[in-house]
Amino acid sequence: MPQASDMTLIEDTAQLFHEEPALAALYGFTPDEVQNDAELLAAVLAGLVPDAQARLRVRDLVGEAFAADAGSVAFALEDLAATAERDLSTDAARVLLFAPGYQGLLSYRASHALLMSGRDTAAAAVKAMLGRQLSVDIAPEAQIGRRVWLDHGLGVVIGRTAVIEDDVSIWHGVTLGSNFVSMGDRRHPLIGKGAVLGGHSVILGGIDIGENAVVAAGAIVTKSIPAGKTVYGPKATIRDRKPGSFSGFT
Protein backbone atom coordinates (compact mmCIF):
# COMPACT_ATOMS: atom_id res chain seq x y z
CA MET A 1 0.00 0.00 0.00
CA PRO A 2 1.17 3.59 -0.55
CA GLN A 3 2.76 5.22 2.48
CA ALA A 4 1.08 8.23 4.10
CA SER A 5 3.88 10.56 2.94
CA ASP A 6 3.22 9.57 -0.68
CA MET A 7 -0.54 9.91 -0.61
CA THR A 8 -0.98 13.62 -1.35
CA LEU A 9 0.79 13.58 -4.72
CA ILE A 10 -0.73 10.24 -5.71
CA GLU A 11 -4.21 11.31 -4.63
CA ASP A 12 -3.95 14.69 -6.36
CA THR A 13 -2.79 12.96 -9.55
CA ALA A 14 -5.61 10.43 -9.24
CA GLN A 15 -8.09 13.29 -8.96
CA LEU A 16 -6.88 14.71 -12.27
CA PHE A 17 -7.23 11.27 -13.88
CA HIS A 18 -10.76 11.05 -12.46
CA GLU A 19 -11.67 14.47 -13.83
CA GLU A 20 -10.25 13.62 -17.27
CA PRO A 21 -10.55 9.87 -18.05
CA ALA A 22 -8.53 10.29 -21.26
CA LEU A 23 -5.35 10.69 -19.17
CA ALA A 24 -5.15 6.95 -18.53
CA ALA A 25 -4.89 6.23 -22.25
CA LEU A 26 -2.58 9.17 -22.91
CA TYR A 27 -0.10 8.18 -20.19
CA GLY A 28 -0.52 4.41 -20.32
CA PHE A 29 -1.19 3.91 -16.61
CA THR A 30 -3.59 4.77 -13.80
CA PRO A 31 -2.53 6.13 -10.40
CA ASP A 32 -4.00 3.14 -8.56
CA GLU A 33 -1.19 1.03 -10.11
CA VAL A 34 1.55 2.86 -8.19
CA GLN A 35 2.54 2.32 -4.59
CA ASN A 36 4.70 5.39 -3.87
CA ASP A 37 5.98 8.63 -5.34
CA ALA A 38 9.00 6.96 -6.96
CA GLU A 39 6.73 4.63 -8.95
CA LEU A 40 4.51 7.56 -9.89
CA LEU A 41 7.47 9.57 -11.20
CA ALA A 42 8.64 6.58 -13.25
CA ALA A 43 5.16 5.98 -14.67
CA VAL A 44 4.74 9.61 -15.73
CA LEU A 45 8.14 9.67 -17.45
CA ALA A 46 7.42 6.41 -19.24
CA GLY A 47 4.06 7.80 -20.33
CA LEU A 48 5.90 10.28 -22.53
CA VAL A 49 7.20 7.45 -24.72
CA PRO A 50 4.84 6.74 -27.67
CA ASP A 51 5.66 3.07 -28.24
CA ALA A 52 3.85 0.82 -25.75
CA GLN A 53 6.63 -1.79 -25.46
CA ALA A 54 9.34 0.83 -25.01
CA ARG A 55 7.13 2.64 -22.50
CA LEU A 56 6.97 -0.44 -20.28
CA ARG A 57 10.73 -0.92 -20.45
CA VAL A 58 11.42 2.72 -19.60
CA ARG A 59 9.03 2.46 -16.66
CA ASP A 60 10.87 -0.62 -15.38
CA LEU A 61 14.32 0.92 -15.86
CA VAL A 62 13.45 4.20 -14.20
CA GLY A 63 11.49 2.49 -11.44
CA GLU A 64 14.48 0.26 -10.62
CA ALA A 65 16.86 3.23 -10.64
CA PHE A 66 14.63 5.31 -8.37
CA ALA A 67 14.06 2.38 -6.01
CA ALA A 68 17.84 2.06 -5.59
CA ASP A 69 18.51 5.81 -5.26
CA ALA A 70 16.30 7.52 -2.73
CA GLY A 71 18.36 10.70 -3.10
CA SER A 72 17.37 11.16 -6.73
CA VAL A 73 13.70 10.75 -5.80
CA ALA A 74 14.04 13.27 -2.96
CA PHE A 75 15.69 15.77 -5.32
CA ALA A 76 12.97 15.19 -7.92
CA LEU A 77 10.24 15.88 -5.37
CA GLU A 78 12.03 19.03 -4.21
CA ASP A 79 12.26 20.16 -7.85
CA LEU A 80 8.53 19.52 -8.12
CA ALA A 81 7.72 21.60 -5.06
CA ALA A 82 10.03 24.42 -6.20
CA THR A 83 8.42 24.48 -9.65
CA ALA A 84 4.92 24.62 -8.21
CA GLU A 85 5.99 27.41 -5.84
CA ARG A 86 7.69 29.57 -8.48
CA ASP A 87 5.02 29.03 -11.13
CA LEU A 88 2.05 30.45 -9.25
CA SER A 89 -0.49 29.28 -11.84
CA THR A 90 -0.23 25.57 -11.05
CA ASP A 91 0.17 22.84 -8.41
CA ALA A 92 2.44 19.83 -7.96
CA ALA A 93 0.23 17.24 -9.68
CA ARG A 94 -0.29 19.45 -12.72
CA VAL A 95 3.44 20.21 -12.87
CA LEU A 96 4.19 16.49 -12.83
CA LEU A 97 1.77 15.69 -15.63
CA PHE A 98 1.89 18.77 -17.84
CA ALA A 99 5.08 20.82 -17.33
CA PRO A 100 7.71 19.88 -19.95
CA GLY A 101 10.43 21.78 -18.11
CA TYR A 102 9.93 19.75 -14.95
CA GLN A 103 9.66 16.55 -16.96
CA GLY A 104 12.95 17.38 -18.69
CA LEU A 105 14.65 17.79 -15.32
CA LEU A 106 12.98 14.60 -14.08
CA SER A 107 14.37 12.75 -17.09
CA TYR A 108 17.83 13.91 -16.00
CA ARG A 109 17.20 12.67 -12.45
CA ALA A 110 16.28 9.27 -13.93
CA SER A 111 19.25 9.00 -16.29
CA HIS A 112 21.63 10.22 -13.55
CA ALA A 113 20.29 7.57 -11.16
CA LEU A 114 20.87 4.91 -13.80
CA LEU A 115 24.41 6.21 -14.36
CA MET A 116 25.13 6.13 -10.63
CA SER A 117 23.95 2.51 -10.50
CA GLY A 118 26.55 1.57 -13.11
CA ARG A 119 24.12 1.32 -16.04
CA ASP A 120 25.71 3.96 -18.22
CA THR A 121 24.35 2.57 -21.50
CA ALA A 122 20.82 2.45 -20.12
CA ALA A 123 21.30 6.01 -18.83
CA ALA A 124 22.32 7.17 -22.29
CA ALA A 125 19.36 5.38 -23.88
CA VAL A 126 16.79 6.85 -21.45
CA LYS A 127 18.34 10.29 -21.85
CA ALA A 128 18.16 10.06 -25.64
CA MET A 129 14.62 8.66 -25.77
CA LEU A 130 13.10 11.13 -23.32
CA GLY A 131 15.18 13.98 -24.70
CA ARG A 132 13.60 13.44 -28.12
CA GLN A 133 10.14 13.72 -26.59
CA LEU A 134 10.90 16.80 -24.50
CA SER A 135 13.43 18.64 -26.71
CA VAL A 136 16.05 18.79 -23.96
CA ASP A 137 19.61 17.45 -23.90
CA ILE A 138 20.89 17.10 -20.34
CA ALA A 139 23.91 14.86 -19.86
CA PRO A 140 23.46 12.25 -17.12
CA GLU A 141 26.98 13.11 -15.92
CA ALA A 142 26.08 16.73 -15.11
CA GLN A 143 25.85 17.65 -11.43
CA ILE A 144 22.52 19.35 -10.62
CA GLY A 145 21.60 20.44 -7.11
CA ARG A 146 18.33 20.80 -5.26
CA ARG A 147 15.15 22.77 -5.94
CA VAL A 148 16.03 23.58 -9.54
CA TRP A 149 13.38 25.04 -11.86
CA LEU A 150 13.36 24.54 -15.62
CA ASP A 151 10.61 26.80 -16.92
CA HIS A 152 9.30 25.44 -20.25
CA GLY A 153 12.53 23.48 -20.73
CA LEU A 154 12.42 23.38 -24.53
CA GLY A 155 15.85 23.64 -26.10
CA VAL A 156 17.83 23.39 -22.86
CA VAL A 157 21.30 21.87 -23.36
CA ILE A 158 23.48 21.02 -20.35
CA GLY A 159 26.92 19.49 -20.92
CA ARG A 160 28.36 16.59 -19.03
CA THR A 161 30.81 18.51 -16.79
CA ALA A 162 28.34 21.31 -15.95
CA VAL A 163 27.60 21.98 -12.28
CA ILE A 164 24.32 23.58 -11.20
CA GLU A 165 24.00 24.43 -7.52
CA ASP A 166 20.79 24.65 -5.46
CA ASP A 167 17.81 26.93 -6.17
CA VAL A 168 18.77 27.83 -9.74
CA SER A 169 16.06 28.90 -12.23
CA ILE A 170 16.57 28.18 -15.93
CA TRP A 171 14.37 29.36 -18.79
CA HIS A 172 13.92 27.74 -22.21
CA GLY A 173 16.68 27.58 -24.79
CA VAL A 174 19.57 27.90 -22.33
CA THR A 175 22.89 26.33 -23.30
CA LEU A 176 25.59 25.37 -20.80
CA GLY A 177 28.25 24.34 -23.27
CA SER A 178 31.94 24.02 -23.99
CA ASN A 179 34.00 26.57 -25.90
CA PHE A 180 36.28 23.87 -27.36
CA VAL A 181 39.26 25.78 -25.98
CA SER A 182 39.23 25.20 -22.22
CA MET A 183 39.13 21.40 -22.28
CA GLY A 184 40.19 20.55 -18.73
CA ASP A 185 38.36 18.51 -16.11
CA ARG A 186 35.46 20.99 -16.13
CA ARG A 187 34.84 22.37 -19.60
CA HIS A 188 31.24 23.46 -18.93
CA PRO A 189 29.98 26.23 -16.61
CA LEU A 190 29.32 26.19 -12.89
CA ILE A 191 26.07 27.94 -12.00
CA GLY A 192 26.03 29.25 -8.44
CA LYS A 193 23.25 28.90 -5.90
CA GLY A 194 20.15 30.95 -6.66
CA ALA A 195 21.28 32.15 -10.08
CA VAL A 196 18.74 32.88 -12.82
CA LEU A 197 19.44 32.06 -16.48
CA GLY A 198 17.12 33.87 -18.89
CA GLY A 199 15.68 32.38 -22.06
CA HIS A 200 18.15 31.55 -24.85
CA SER A 201 21.16 32.64 -22.85
CA VAL A 202 24.37 30.88 -23.86
CA ILE A 203 27.08 30.22 -21.28
CA LEU A 204 30.27 28.66 -22.60
CA GLY A 205 33.38 27.17 -21.06
CA GLY A 206 34.49 26.25 -17.57
CA ILE A 207 33.46 29.60 -16.10
CA ASP A 208 31.60 30.41 -12.90
CA ILE A 209 28.27 32.22 -12.65
CA GLY A 210 28.18 33.56 -9.10
CA GLU A 211 25.48 33.03 -6.50
CA ASN A 212 22.26 34.95 -7.19
CA ALA A 213 23.64 36.32 -10.46
CA VAL A 214 21.18 36.96 -13.29
CA VAL A 215 21.99 36.17 -16.91
CA ALA A 216 19.48 38.08 -19.01
CA ALA A 217 17.62 36.52 -21.93
CA GLY A 218 19.76 36.19 -25.03
CA ALA A 219 23.05 36.98 -23.30
CA ILE A 220 26.20 35.23 -24.46
CA VAL A 221 28.58 34.70 -21.55
CA THR A 222 32.18 33.54 -21.91
CA LYS A 223 33.70 35.01 -18.73
CA SER A 224 32.91 34.39 -15.08
CA ILE A 225 30.24 36.59 -13.45
CA PRO A 226 30.55 37.75 -9.82
CA ALA A 227 27.89 36.90 -7.27
CA GLY A 228 24.84 39.14 -7.28
CA LYS A 229 25.56 40.75 -10.65
CA THR A 230 23.45 40.93 -13.82
CA VAL A 231 24.87 40.37 -17.29
CA TYR A 232 23.01 41.10 -20.51
CA GLY A 233 23.37 41.51 -24.25
CA PRO A 234 24.74 39.43 -27.12
CA LYS A 235 27.74 40.87 -28.89
CA ALA A 236 29.32 39.36 -31.99
CA THR A 237 32.72 40.85 -32.89
CA ILE A 238 34.93 39.98 -35.88
CA ARG A 239 38.54 39.32 -34.92
CA ASP A 240 41.59 37.46 -36.13
CA ARG A 241 42.05 34.05 -34.64
CA LYS A 242 44.55 33.85 -31.84
CA PRO A 243 46.86 30.88 -31.27
CA GLY A 244 44.98 28.24 -29.33
CA SER A 245 41.50 29.49 -30.24
CA PHE A 246 38.93 27.11 -31.69
CA SER A 247 39.17 27.06 -35.49
CA GLY A 248 36.72 24.36 -36.51
CA PHE A 249 37.17 20.69 -37.30
CA THR A 250 38.98 20.85 -40.63
Side-chain angles (χ1 to χ4, degrees), residues 167-208:
D167 302 307
V168 170
S169 299
I170 301 175
W171 264 253
H172 55 283
V174 167
T175 297
L176 305 183
S178 168
N179 59 15
F180 281 95
V181 177
S182 303
M183 300 298 284
D185 291 338
R186 182 167 63 82
R187 60 186 184 275
H188 299 95
L190 181 150
I191 310 300
K193 178 179 172 63
V196 175
L197 309 182
H200 294 282
S201 55
V202 177
I203 305 170
L204 301 177
I207 63 176
D208 294 350

Side-chain angles (χ1 to χ4, degrees), residues 52-106:
Q53 184 174 359
R55 183 188 305 144
L56 291 174
R57 193 67 187 108
V58 168
R59 183 172 173 179
D60 288 343
L61 281 170
V62 174
E64 291 166 7
F66 280 163
D69 187 352
S72 287
V73 176
F75 277 29
L77 294 173
E78 290 183 356
D79 298 335
L80 184 64
T83 301
E85 180 181 2
R86 294 177 209 175
D87 186 346
L88 301 179
S89 64
T90 190
D91 56 53
R94 288 182 176 275
V95 168
L96 176 61
L97 292 175
F98 308 134
Y102 174 74
Q103 292 168 347
L105 184 56
L106 181 59

Side-chain angles (χ1 to χ4, degrees), residues 6-7 23 35 40 43 69 121 123 127-128 132 137 153-154 170 233:
D6 299 315
M7 287 302 295
L23 291 180
Q35 299 299 308
L40 178 61
D69 187 352
T121 301
K127 174 248 188 189
R132 285 194 296 269
D137 189 354
L154 298 172
I170 301 175

